[in-house]
Amino acid sequence: MDPGTPIAVIALSAKVLSTIWTYYCEAKIARSDIRLLTDEIRGFQDVLQKVEDLLARSSRVSLPASLKTTLKQAHLDLTSIDRQIDPGKGTTRMRLFGKRALKWPFTKKEVEEWIARFDRLKTSINLALNTDSASLIVDVDSTVTQLKEVQITDEQDRLLAKLPYAAGASFDSYHRQHEPECLENTRVELLRSLQEWGGDHQRKIFWLSGMAGTGKSTISRTLANRFKMEKILGGNFFFSRASGEANNAAKLVGTLARQLANKLPALKPLICEAISLNEDVLRQGLRNQWKELILIPLSKASISGYPTMNIIIDALDECGSDDEIRIILQLVVEVKSLKAADLGVFVTSRPEVIIRLGFAAMPEITHYRLDLRDIPRSIVQCDISILLESEFENIRRQHKLRDWPTQHDRQILVERSDCLFIYAKTACRYIGDPDWDPEERLSELLQGASTGGAATAGLDAMYLRVLKKALTDGRNKAEVHELCVRFKHIVGAIVTTFDELSVPVLGRLLSVKPRQVDVALDRLHSVLDVSSNAESPIRLLHPSFHDFLVDETRCRDARFCIDEALMHGELVDVCLETMSTALKRNSCRLSTPGSSPKEVESGIMDINLPKHVRYACEYWVDHLMGTISDTRAQYVSDSGKVHSFLEKDFIFWLEAMSLMGKMPRAILMITELAKMSELGRHRSLRTIIEDARRFILRNRAIIEEAPLQTYVSALVFSPAESVIRKCYLHLVPSWVNRLPVTDVGWGNCIQTLKTNGTVRALAFSPDGKYLACGVHFYGSHNYVIQLWNAETGALHSTLEGHQARITSVVFLRDGTLASYSLDKTVRVWEPIIGVTRHILDIRFAAIDNEGPVKYWYQSKGLSIMPNGDLAILCWDYNIRIWSWEHETFSAPVNQGLSVTFLFGCLSHGRLIFGTSQEVLMLDPSPLIVPTLIPVPHVRVAVSPDNRVAWWDRDDDNTITIWLFNTSTKDLCKLGVQPDTDRVRILAFSPDGTSLISGGNDKVVTFWDLSTQAQSLVGTCLGTPTSVAFSHNGKQMATILNGEDRIQLFDLSLKSLTPTEPRGEIREITIRLLFSPRGSFIAAYTLDLNGKTSMLKLYNTADYQLVFTCDIPAGPYPVCFSPSDERLAAISRNKTVFLWHPSTETDSHILTDGPSFASCIAFSSDGKQLATGSKEGILRIWDPKTKTLRHIFEHAQWVSAVTFSLDGTRLASLATRQELDNRITARLWDISTGNLLYESDGFPNGERLIAISPNNKYIAHYYRKNSLFLYNLESKERRCLGTDTLSYVYDLAFSGDSQYIAFAHSGETALYNINPLQQVAVFPTEWWYTEHRISLSADGKYLENDHGRFRTRQLEADIGGGCPKGVNCWSYRDGWIVEGEKKMLWLPAEYKPSRMTHHNGLFAFPHENGYRLLGFSQDLVVLDAEE
């Protein structure tokens, strides 16, 4: 075979992949490398297959020469790999010594080289197709277009595959292929009417309702199939309460969107674009998904001819959540507004109250309603008769019967069916059982007493007859007992489980062999749908069979009746046992601790987390809730099974729930457990459940993103006394070799929500379930309201419509949401479904004025009146009352005053508002406006019991909080606290019994108004600027100034810590510095007023403070000797002192006349200390003897000084007055005192200087100028970067003097010196304002305060990567990474802007000093590589 053809290379690659797979299965190590190489070759094979497909489409094809050459090279490369991986004698060794005898022949570096080579080959093939395609195919344009179309189609299919999709919910899915449709000549008029509606929607929605068993789903399937044949079916979704993917609406919109995309070609790219631009929409609420994935694409699509399309939603009542049903009903209404297509929605359901009310609220023109009970009985009976005849014909053919049954017998069955198709269908399945005589079975049915009374009496009798025939007839007592026990165990599980399970899955869950399950169900096919395909789920023939079995008033034979509560208890046991046996750390072999669940292929998931394990993980709490209270108490008790699960398997369960994408559900499950535990007296259990709940809430976001962070970030940063942490701390990976000192307890912050935009307004819903916030996304004009589930921390939906900042949101009494925006409107929303009910124009100005916009950060703008009306601060500085009854605004109520603040409303209708001069109270009856506070205030709180609070600054620089009772006119001083610039939040609790305050110190304080006692709520991650309470007062949410986070706090009194009024101003740590050997950390601290700065020295071994000293503010005047033996610092009085940290002695002040030190530096051997002074004098000291050895003169002010590596030279920067205060650089020979170099003068500014280790180069930088590199031998000066290089923070040479690196805003650049060229750039966070950098001796890695980085760009020159045995730990985008692998996520309180790093040890500022987090320098072996 010609090696220069695609087919030859494809064949060889298949052989290579087969051999590689053997290694993957048998080899013990390097499995991640094997997988990476496999993926790369498969990708290359896919490219070749596309080329081969193109060649196969036309006979007029010839390969271009360039492509042939590339293919031959690929063949050679694959041949080389094939030779090296050929096991040869390895197979014999494997037989002799076991499966692990194979040894993978490639190193990690070699694998990376092969991957790079195949990537280049793919690029060459694509280039050949683009540049030489004329010789590849006659019609170049057509072929290229075909190729691009294939690539576009592949990409679109990839994006559509991300949609949440329920394959089994479609009417024509594999698992539904045997479900019947309406027989010919049945439901004729109804189907005709439905088809006419489906072809021309006079009304957009058709609702077909009917009780269980009336054939609604059969009608839906028939209609769906007919619409499909007529090519007018857009999508369909058949709900089923027995199906885990179809008993809720989580996958409804995704399924419909995927179906519509495949149906309408013009719609497909628009839906894919929506996914590509905002993948988060896939995890958002129904409202957002419906809008982004269906409505907007349909409105944008260019579809010719206004096509007619239909969506079918069957069994809406089997959608498990009333809230979801309500939302779906609201969403489908919106199809009436579509202009691009005539889209109709057909819905079937039982006539449940919530659905009836939902459709009743729709305009009459919107939908049809047809109740199957309204169809004449004679027509239904006729249809049932046709159904029976059709089924009997099949039975006659199977059993070779003639003239059977009689017309009389058939008519009796029709009458007994009582218009229930399910009765007729079940009767036919029972009679037609191939193992029984149909004549005998029909006779048994007909001989049974005729039933009456209840609507289901006939159906119940039928079900009972079926069960007796299958389980009791013809059997002795012992056999009947055994069969009934087995029936209750297996069928009881089928009717009690919350998802449909196949025979093997059910067997594994119940620890029963599949064959035993088959035997138990073999005689029950009349009521159960059991497919011959083992992978198909077991289904009840109809939901009414479930209702019959669990209702003892309907199933009157106790041998068959299922005690649902008892069965739930059995399933709790099997679920807990299943999880205990199957769950483990990294069950799906994720490659790194930062790997996403998306990386797990479905096949891997099915192997490592099989269906029965996933079922147990998802539903064990639901089964526990289904038990009776006495049974539940046995599980939910100290030392009970739930307690044991939480101690031994909880953390593995969390990983599994993350892999399954079920973290919000995990939170709800633990919350339900907490509710159960509250009813008992089991303190130990309550403690661990509450701890587990806090563990999930604190870490939900990162566990959801990276499941293995459950064992890393979540455990590492949990409180020291966390029960979960104590139980599972041994699971923290060994490469985390130093854990940080964490808080003792969880504190009051329950969870933190990340909004990805600045938050300006907050409000809890009346039931406390949701939290609404106004959000402005960074760098855009996108202003939205986000609705969060306050219990799970999941984003429920996003409300869009406002065109400017949203400054106030408030929930009204009826659950609607009002929002106030700087776009001069107030919108009123149905928040759950996202519909705007009202838009109120609040301009009211004759001309377009500034309005209260300049006070947007201070004023609410909205307040609810006692009667439910809305007080609104309008754009003409007037307050008006919006009346819901009349839907109009009142006249201004503020008596001509120009209002700039609206603070709230008292219980008797008095409004509290402010002008630019004072705060006033409006009493509407009589109309008086007395002054409340005679000075302007922006932080005023209004209580529901007619009290007002505000803060004021006294003459002694303290903050006083005042409390005024508007009814009694009493004024009292609530409390005093230090002046922290201002109080940022001040708010009453909903019941008015307490007050919350907080300021720039980030501390939130709780005031008990009955005793005036203070308690600490907690410390925020940023400065709190606004606060909202849940209506029961148990939760509080705070906005953080300028940040994209909301913190939720627990305000239950048991969680608050009593505290005395704060006295001394606290300090903050603004800079940390490791000593060269990491033995000490120097902390540079500043008080909150910025007046006092100190140097604190800590021992890293035990966190002990060993030294403190006042130092000047500004640059950090401190340095260590290389051996950590001495510390030098410039004190506040500008003298230099020496300190011996190890012995905590030998303090000495270096003085030489009235000199003021300005900079200091040690030599590399620590034997010399250089100081520069304000007077331009440089001094070199002997640190050991404290004697002065050399003096040099430079200029007026020495700003930087440094030694050469060998200590023979000294370089400095200083200001020269004679050069107009310009900066110059000088270099001296220390021993001779000779001046070796002096630069020209440059403008004044920050300065840096460095000498290369070989003493050949000197580099120096001046603000707003370039970085200069001077060759001391050739006298040549060169410029690095541009003439306007952004601010440079530090620079360093490599040990071999071949490279220079410098850190400036946004990046660290690495240059080769000879020739001078940039070879690498390392991005740095834009907010990172301090840099210390160094290069390894060979330039292979770079270090700064954020860690050690591999210089991968230098692979061709210096081998790439860190030297063997050197781990490159660093910080990047919220992660501690090792090389390129994400290893540990840092919580928000660990501020990377102030961190520092030394040899795998990271230090972070903390209010009590600092915290350390260390990582191993030994070889890191990950779970997937073990």
Side-chain angles (χ1 to χ4, degrees):
M1 187 179 296
D2 184 0
T5 61
I7 192 65
V9 182
I10 290 172
L12 181 56
S13 65
K15 179 176 180 293
V16 170
L17 286 172
S18 177
T19 308
I20 291 177
W21 179 249
T22 302
Y23 279 92
Y24 184 82
C25 295
E26 310 298 350
K28 184 176 181 180
I29 61 174
R31 299 188 73 181
S32 61
D33 291 345
I34 297 172
R35 179 184 289 181
L36 289 172
L37 184 58
T38 300
D39 292 343
E40 187 63 32
I41 295 177
R42 281 177 178 165
F44 179 66
Q45 195 180 49
D46 291 342
V47 172
L48 292 175
Q49 189 60 55
K50 291 176 182 177
V51 175
E52 179 63 24
D53 292 342
L54 286 175
L55 294 173
R57 292 190 187 126
S58 174
S59 59
R60 303 174 298 165
V61 173
S62 61
L63 285 171
S66 60
L67 185 54
K68 285 184 178 180
T69 302
T70 301
L71 292 174
K72 289 180 180 179
Q73 182 60 51
H75 198 279
L76 288 172
D77 290 343
L78 287 167
T79 301
S80 175
I81 293 177
D82 188 43
R83 282 198 302 267
Q84 295 181 69
I85 65 175
D86 183 2
K89 297 180 180 180
T91 53
T92 303
R93 285 176 54 79
M94 186 173 68
R95 287 193 297 270
L96 293 174
F97 301 108
K99 293 184 177 181
R100 297 300 184 185
L102 286 179
K103 182 179 180 181
W104 178 243
F106 298 126
T107 65
K108 186 176 186 67
K109 181 180 177 181
E110 289 171 335
V111 169
E112 292 175 350
E113 290 174 350
W114 280 118
I115 290 173
R117 183 169 297 186
F118 280 108
D119 188 61
R120 290 194 294 268
L121 288 172
K122 285 191 293 185
T123 302
S124 298
I125 291 174
N126 289 326
L127 184 62
L129 289 174
N130 290 330
T131 60
D132 203 11
S133 56
S135 61
L136 173 65
I137 197 165
V138 175
D139 188 354
V140 178
D141 292 337
S142 174
T143 303
V144 173
T145 300
Q146 290 177 22
L147 181 59
K148 289 182 177 179
E149 288 176 352
V150 170
Q151 293 172 336
I152 291 173
T153 300
D154 288 346
E155 177 62 14
Q156 289 177 344
D157 290 343
R158 184 186 69 82
L159 289 171
L160 289 179
K162 294 183 177 183
L163 288 168
Y165 183 70
S170 179
F171 86 98
D172 54 358
S173 66
Y174 176 82
H175 296 311
R176 293 180 180 270
Q177 60 182 320
H178 301 299
E179 294 181 351
E181 296 181 15
C182 295
L183 295 174
E184 187 176 358
N185 297 323
T186 63
R187 303 292 199 186
V188 176
E189 287 301 316
L190 175 58
L191 289 172
R192 182 185 60 78
S193 298
L194 292 174
Q195 284 186 266
E196 289 179 356
W197 168 83
D200 183 13
H201 304 116
Q202 297 298 319
R203 297 177 184 174
K204 297 291 186 181
I205 299 172
F206 201 122
W207 176 37
L208 181 68
S209 67
M211 64 178 292
T214 53
K216 301 182 297 299
S217 294
T218 303
I219 295 170
S220 294
R221 283 190 293 273
T222 305
L223 191 63
N225 195 28
R226 294 187 182 184
F227 283 169
K228 181 179 180 180
M229 290 188 292
E230 296 172 13
K231 298 183 178 180
I232 58 173
L233 179 65
N236 69 99
F237 196 96
F238 280 58
F239 283 103
S240 171
R241 70 181 176 190
S243 169
E245 65 177 2
N247 63 7
N248 60 79
K251 298 182 178 180
L252 170 66
V253 177
T255 301
L256 295 178
R258 186 164 165 179
Q259 293 169 343
L260 285 168
N262 292 326
K263 178 64 181 176
L264 298 173
L267 199 60
K268 190 173 184 178
L270 295 173
I271 293 177
C272 291
E273 180 185 22
I275 300 170
S276 177
L277 293 176
N278 181 21
E279 194 168 322
D280 286 343
V281 74
L282 304 180
R283 295 175 290 277
Q284 293 176 356
L286 289 176
R287 172 67 190 172
N288 282 13
Q289 290 187 13
W290 180 262
K291 178 182 179 181
E292 297 293 334
L293 300 175
I294 293 182
L295 285 186
I296 293 180
L298 276 173
S299 64
K300 289 182 177 179
S302 299
I303 307 174
S304 60
Y306 193 63
T308 296
M309 283 291 139
N310 294 279
I311 289 175
I312 293 178
I313 300 176
D314 181 66
L316 180 60
D317 55 284
E318 296 195 32
C319 177
S321 165
D322 287 351
D323 284 342
E324 289 183 343
I325 291 175
R326 193 178 294 111
I327 293 172
I328 292 170
L329 293 177
Q330 291 292 338
L331 295 181
V332 298
V333 173
E334 297 181 6
V335 301
K336 67 180 180 179
S337 62
L338 291 173
K339 305 299 182 184
D342 177 21
L343 184 63
V345 181
F346 177 72
V347 181
T348 71
S349 74
R350 299 184 189 186
E352 305 292 0
V353 173
I354 186 172
I355 301 177
R356 286 191 284 109
L357 292 177
F359 277 113
M362 298 181 184
E364 186 61 28
I365 61 169
T366 303
H367 72 279
Y368 285 100
R369 174 187 174 276
L370 179 60
D371 195 325
L372 290 173
R373 293 173 296 184
D374 297 336
I375 300 176
R377 186 180 182 87
S378 59
I379 294 177
V380 178
Q381 288 185 334
C382 180
D383 289 342
I384 291 177
S385 179
I386 294 173
L387 169 64
L388 289 173
E389 179 56 33
S390 175
E391 295 293 332
F392 284 149
E393 176 62 31
N394 293 331
I395 296 172
R396 285 195 296 268
R397 187 182 307 111
Q398 183 179 2
H399 291 270
K400 299 179 180 180
L401 299 173
R402 298 183 61 186
D403 302 326
W404 173 90
T406 66
Q407 179 64 32
H408 178 262
D409 291 346
R410 187 166 63 237
Q411 188 59 37
I412 292 176
L413 285 180
V414 170
E415 293 292 335
R416 289 192 178 182
S417 70
D418 197 24
C419 294
L420 293 177
F421 279 80
I422 187 58
Y423 179 97
K425 189 68 179 177
T426 304
C428 290
R429 288 174 68 101
Y430 175 73
I431 295 168
D433 191 316
D435 295 331
W436 296 89
D437 178 10
E439 292 180 310
E440 180 183 344
R441 287 213 156 185
L442 175 61
S443 177
E444 290 175 356
L445 282 181
L446 296 179
Q447 289 173 9
S450 178
T451 57
T456 61
L459 184 61
D460 296 345
M462 167 69 70
Y463 284 144
L464 197 58
R465 179 66 260 167
V466 169
L467 296 178
K468 286 182 177 180
K469 191 67 178 178
L471 302 174
T472 65
D473 289 1
R475 293 181 170 85
N476 60 42
K477 187 175 181 180
E479 291 175 334
V480 170
H481 175 75
E482 177 63 26
L483 288 175
C484 289
V485 169
R486 189 179 302 170
F487 169 82
K488 287 192 173 185
H489 182 55
I490 295 176
V491 177
I494 293 172
V495 301
T496 311
T497 51
F498 296 97
D499 197 1
E500 296 170 337
L501 306 177
S502 65
V503 168
V505 172
L506 181 65
R508 294 183 71 180
L509 182 66
L510 300 179
S511 298
V512 176
K513 294 180 180 179
R515 177 59 186 159
Q516 292 179 335
V517 177
D518 279 327
V519 170
L521 304 182
D522 190 47
R523 295 178 178 273
L524 296 172
H525 287 209
S526 301
V527 288
L528 296 175
D529 181 6
V530 185
S531 173
S532 58
N533 185 339
E535 300 304 317
S536 296
I538 308 165
R539 286 192 169 99
L540 303 181
L541 182 64
H542 194 269
S544 59
F545 184 52
H546 165 276
D547 301 338
F548 163 76
L549 286 176
V550 301
D551 188 345
E552 61 183 10
T553 64
R554 293 178 60 184
C555 181
R556 296 183 179 273
D557 192 326
R559 296 173 298 178
F560 311 135
C561 188
I562 304 295
D563 185 334
E564 205 167 14
L566 184 63
M567 195 65 227
H568 278 303
E570 292 183 17
L571 288 171
V572 173
D573 286 333
V574 300
C575 286
L576 291 175
E577 179 61 29
T578 296
M579 291 187 291
S580 176
T581 303
L583 297 182
K584 61 181 181 179
R585 183 169 71 178
N586 199 6
S587 55
C588 288
R589 310 303 289 172
L590 289 169
S591 58
T592 71
S595 296
S596 166
K598 299 175 184 177
E599 298 179 21
V600 181
E601 298 177 0
S602 58
I604 299 295
M605 177 77 81
D606 290 337
I607 293 172
N608 296 291
L609 274 182
K611 173 71 174 179
H612 74 289
V613 177
R614 300 201 298 271
Y615 179 88
C617 289
E618 186 171 355
Y619 294 110
W620 68 274
V621 172
D622 296 78
H623 287 301
L624 184 59
M625 293 169 62
T627 60
I628 61 175
S629 58
D630 289 345
T631 303
R632 195 179 309 131
Q634 298 175 16
Y635 291 97
V636 188
S637 63
D638 289 348
S639 302
K641 292 183 178 180
V642 170
H643 194 282
S644 177
F645 166 81
L646 292 173
E647 287 185 327
K648 298 177 181 179
D649 302 306
F650 167 75
I651 204 163
F652 306 122
W653 171 72
L654 267 190
E655 179 200 336
M657 293 296 281
S658 173
L659 290 166
M660 295 159 56
K662 301 289 185 179
M663 280 303 293
R665 179 165 175 77
I667 295 173
L668 292 176
M669 292 168 71
I670 293 298
T671 302
E672 290 298 330
L673 269 185
K675 293 177 182 177
M676 294 182 213
S677 68
E678 290 175 356
L679 302 177
R681 299 179 179 179
H682 308 285
R683 182 175 180 180
S684 178
L685 177 68
R686 286 201 307 271
T687 299
I688 194 171
I689 289 177
E690 177 60 19
D691 196 78
R693 188 179 75 90
R694 297 297 299 272
F695 186 89
I696 298 181
L697 289 173
R698 169 78 70 86
N699 300 293
R700 178 195 64 83
I702 187 54
I703 295 176
E704 202 166 38
E705 178 184 339
L708 297 186
Q709 288 302 301
T710 311
Y711 311 99
V712 192
S713 179
L715 284 176
V716 166
F717 297 109
S718 290
E721 294 301 315
S722 162
V723 182
I724 296 298
R725 189 180 199 254
K726 290 181 177 179
C727 288
Y728 298 101
L729 192 60
H730 64 282
L731 294 176
V732 173
S734 59
W735 41 263
V736 183
N737 62 9
R738 180 153 185 174
L739 300 179
V741 176
T742 59
D743 295 335
V744 175
W746 286 105
N748 301 318
C749 181
I750 302 173
Q751 59 179 318
T752 301
L753 310 179
K754 188 171 177 62
T755 62
N756 295 318
T758 306
V759 186
R760 300 297 183 189
L762 278 179
F764 277 96
S765 61
D767 60 4
K769 185 176 180 180
Y770 296 103
L771 179 68
C773 59
V775 178
H776 171 212
F777 292 112
Y778 302 126
S780 72
H781 296 286
N782 194 5
Y783 307 93
V784 302
I785 297 173
Q786 292 179 345
L787 196 67
W788 294 83
N789 187 314
E791 193 170 42
T792 67
L795 180 63
H796 178 273
S797 59
T798 300
L799 314 181
E800 299 181 358
H802 281 301
Q803 303 301 312
R805 282 190 179 92
I806 300 159
T807 65
S808 181
V809 291
V810 58
F811 278 93
L812 307 180
R813 293 176 178 176
D814 60 359
T816 55
L817 178 72
S819 58
Y820 183 95
S821 170
L822 300 188
D823 63 7
K824 307 171 189 176
T825 66
V826 170
R827 287 178 178 251
V828 181
W829 313 76
E830 286 280 358
I832 305 301
I833 60 176
V835 176
T836 301
R837 291 300 186 199
H838 301 277
I839 301 178
L840 309 181
D841 187 342
I842 60 172
R843 287 175 292 183
F844 287 100
I847 59 174
D848 189 18
N849 61 23
E850 184 181 22
V853 62
K854 59 185 176 182
Y855 305 107
W856 64 265
Y857 58 92
Q858 302 166 342
S859 178
K860 292 181 179 179
L862 296 174
S863 186
I864 302 175
M865 302 295 290
N867 65 353
D869 288 345
L870 202 57
I872 301 175
L873 175 56
C874 297
W875 223 248
D876 59 353
Y877 300 98
N878 285 311
I879 298 174
R880 292 177 174 82
I881 310 299
W882 171 262
S883 168
W884 296 112
E885 180 181 358
H886 303 100
E887 295 194 351
T888 57
F889 277 107
S890 70
V893 298
N894 44 288
Q895 300 296 295
L897 296 169
S898 182
V899 179
T900 52
F901 311 109
L902 177 57
F903 295 114
C905 180
L906 303 176
S907 63
H908 40 48
R910 296 172 181 171
L911 288 171
I912 306 299
F913 63 90
T915 68
S916 59
Q917 303 296 322
E918 56 191 349
V919 176
L920 305 104
M921 178 175 66
L922 170 66
D923 191 340
S925 180
L927 278 174
I928 56 173
V929 189
T931 297
L932 194 63
I933 310 173
V935 293
H937 274 273
V938 296
R939 299 298 170 195
V940 176
V942 179
S943 80
D945 60 351
N946 302 324
R947 287 185 287 184
V948 178
W950 67 91
W951 66 273
D952 200 357
R953 181 179 288 110
D954 296 334
D955 294 336
D956 59 351
N957 287 328
T958 59
I959 296 295
T960 301
I961 297 179
W962 298 92
L963 193 64
F964 178 70
N965 190 318
T966 60
S967 299
T968 64
K969 311 303 181 183
D970 292 333
L971 177 66
C972 69
K973 180 185 292 187
L974 180 61
V976 177
Q977 63 185 52
D979 181 2
T980 57
D981 186 23
R982 67 172 68 181
V983 173
R984 303 299 295 266
I985 57 172
L986 197 63
F988 284 98
S989 61
D991 60 4
T993 61
S994 57
L995 186 72
I996 292 291
S997 68
N1000 283 3
D1001 59 359
K1002 305 177 185 178
V1003 174
V1004 178
T1005 302
F1006 177 95
W1007 303 77
D1008 186 330
L1009 298 183
S1010 62
T1011 63
Q1012 296 193 11
Q1014 297 182 48
S1015 300
L1016 177 65
V1017 175
T1019 302
C1020 296
L1021 296 174
T1023 302
T1025 56
S1026 186
V1027 63
F1029 292 92
S1030 61
H1031 281 239
N1032 61 8
K1034 293 183 178 180
Q1035 277 192 300
M1036 179 191 78
T1038 61
I1039 296 174
L1040 307 180
N1041 185 38
E1043 299 200 34
D1044 61 350
R1045 291 189 293 264
I1046 300 170
Q1047 288 187 268
L1048 272 67
F1049 289 87
D1050 177 13
L1051 289 184
S1052 57
L1053 291 177
K1054 63 181 181 182
S1055 69
L1056 300 179
T1057 304
T1059 181
E1060 295 298 325
R1062 295 189 306 280
E1064 183 181 351
I1065 300 291
R1066 296 185 309 153
E1067 63 185 15
I1068 58 173
T1069 302
I1070 63 172
R1071 179 76 163 122
L1072 292 173
L1073 179 69
F1074 271 110
S1075 63
R1077 294 188 177 181
S1079 304
F1080 303 95
I1081 281 186
Y1084 183 71
T1085 67
L1086 195 67
D1087 66 35
L1088 291 179
N1089 290 325
K1091 299 176 180 178
T1092 305
S1093 54
M1094 293 192 70
L1095 173 68
K1096 296 186 177 182
L1097 189 66
Y1098 295 89
N1099 190 319
T1100 57
D1102 55 12
Y1103 290 91
Q1104 291 300 309
L1105 179 64
V1106 297
F1107 177 74
T1108 61
C1109 175
D1110 288 346
I1111 55 175
Y1116 311 107
V1118 58
C1119 64
F1120 288 92
S1121 63
S1123 63
D1124 289 4
E1125 185 179 357
R1126 288 181 173 83
L1127 168 73
I1130 301 175
S1131 65
R1132 183 174 296 277
N1133 61 8
K1134 302 300 182 179
T1135 60
V1136 177
F1137 67 88
L1138 286 173
W1139 174 259
H1140 201 296
S1142 299
T1143 62
E1144 302 182 18
T1145 60
D1146 200 19
S1147 177
H1148 190 84
I1149 297 177
L1150 303 179
T1151 59
D1152 181 33
S1155 178
F1156 290 88
S1158 56
C1159 56
I1160 51 178
F1162 275 103
S1163 62
S1164 60
D1165 59 5
K1167 295 181 179 180
Q1168 301 180 85
L1169 175 66
T1171 63
S1173 69
K1174 179 179 178 181
E1175 296 78 18
I1177 305 298
L1178 290 103
R1179 296 175 174 85
I1180 298 180
W1181 305 79
D1182 184 330
K1184 186 175 182 180
T1185 64
K1186 288 80 177 180
T1187 57
L1188 181 63
R1189 297 178 56 183
H1190 303 280
I1191 296 179
F1192 300 94
E1193 294 186 4
H1194 190 157
Q1196 183 180 9
W1197 188 297
V1198 179
S1199 55
V1201 61
T1202 186
F1203 285 95
S1204 62
L1205 181 64
D1206 59 9
T1208 62
R1209 300 184 179 190
L1210 182 72
S1212 62
L1213 292 174
T1215 302
R1216 295 189 62 178
Q1217 288 183 328
E1218 67 271 21
L1219 295 178
D1220 297 327
N1221 289 326
R1222 297 169 75 86
I1223 302 296
T1224 62
R1226 285 185 177 183
L1227 179 68
W1228 282 276
D1229 184 309
I1230 295 176
S1231 61
T1232 65
N1234 294 335
L1235 181 63
L1236 303 178
Y1237 165 76
E1238 182 171 15
S1239 71
D1240 299 332
F1242 292 92
N1244 193 11
E1246 297 295 331
R1247 286 79 61 181
L1248 294 170
I1249 192 166
I1251 306 171
S1252 65
N1254 63 3
N1255 291 336
K1256 184 177 180 179
Y1257 302 100
I1258 183 170
H1260 46 87
Y1261 165 76
Y1262 307 93
R1263 183 186 292 179
K1264 298 181 181 179
N1265 285 275
S1266 296
L1267 178 63
F1268 295 108
L1269 183 67
Y1270 184 77
N1271 189 319
L1272 295 170
E1273 295 178 356
S1274 66
K1275 313 302 182 183
E1276 177 187 6
R1277 189 179 72 184
R1278 290 179 289 178
C1279 175
L1280 282 70
T1282 66
D1283 289 336
T1284 57
L1285 191 68
S1286 57
Y1287 194 98
V1288 174
Y1289 300 98
D1290 199 7
L1291 56 89
F1293 287 94
S1294 62
D1296 56 11
S1297 300
Q1298 292 185 27
Y1299 300 95
I1300 184 172
F1302 57 92
H1304 63 108
S1305 299
E1307 64 185 27
T1308 297
L1310 181 66
Y1311 275 74
N1312 186 74
I1313 294 177
N1314 191 18
L1316 187 64
Q1317 60 182 11
Q1318 182 172 296
V1319 294
V1321 174
F1322 302 93
T1324 306
E1325 309 292 348
W1326 63 269
W1327 38 255
Y1328 185 34
T1329 58
E1330 300 296 339
H1331 299 257
R1332 288 186 309 111
I1333 63 172
S1334 63
L1335 280 168
S1336 62
D1338 54 8
K1340 286 189 176 183
Y1341 62 90
L1342 176 145
E1343 288 195 66
N1344 64 18
D1345 282 344
H1346 277 193
R1348 178 181 292 154
F1349 300 87
R1350 292 182 175 93
T1351 55
R1352 302 184 70 89
Q1353 290 84 343
L1354 302 180
E1355 289 181 2
D1357 300 324
I1358 58 177
C1362 289
K1364 186 175 182 180
V1366 176
N1367 290 329
C1368 289
W1369 297 102
S1370 61
Y1371 168 84
R1372 192 177 310 164
D1373 299 326
W1375 287 87
I1376 297 296
V1377 300
E1378 199 288 308
E1380 299 296 324
K1381 298 187 290 288
K1382 294 179 178 178
M1383 304 296 281
L1384 179 142
W1385 172 258
L1386 286 178
E1389 56 266 31
Y1390 285 76
K1391 298 289 188 181
S1393 59
R1394 299 173 188 165
M1395 72 161 57
T1396 189
H1397 165 266
H1398 173 78
N1399 202 30
L1401 189 63
F1402 293 84
F1404 306 86
H1406 186 260
E1407 60 182 2
N1408 295 324
Y1410 69 99
R1411 290 177 172 177
L1412 292 176
L1413 176 63
F1415 299 89
S1416 172
Q1417 293 302 306
D1418 297 330
L1419 178 64
V1420 174
V1421 179
L1422 303 179
D1423 291 340
E1425 298 172 344
E1426 292 177 347

